[in-house]
Amino acid sequence: MNHPWIVYLTAWLSLRIHRARTAPTRGASAVEWVIITAIIAGVALGLATLIRSLVEQQQEQIRSNFGGGGGGGGGG
């Protein structure tokens, strides 16, 4: 276990673990990003649902104004 690469890797991993344990804001920052992303996704889904219902209402109104459409005309 005295190989230079193993010593280096052990020291590097120890440093990374120490930094992860002593940086309390990193985890909080990740949680904040998840919450913000979830809120944005929820708003986008709500807007998509609203727009879809408005388009369907307009479609029904157009369909009723034209009497359900006519038969296709044949050109003679």
Side-chain angles (χ1 to χ4, degrees), residues 5 15 27 42 46 52 72:
W5 283 106
L15 179 65
R52 181 178 177 176

Side-chain angles (χ1 to χ4, degrees), residues 4-44:
W5 283 106
I6 294 175
V7 173
Y8 173 76
L9 184 62
T10 306
W12 183 75
L13 285 174
S14 297
L15 179 65
R16 296 287 294 174
I17 291 170
H18 176 71
R19 284 184 184 169
R21 287 183 178 168
T22 58
T25 58
R26 280 194 139 168
S29 179
V31 171
E32 290 170 358
W33 276 107
V34 168
I35 291 171
I36 290 169
T37 303
I39 290 171
I40 290 173
V43 169

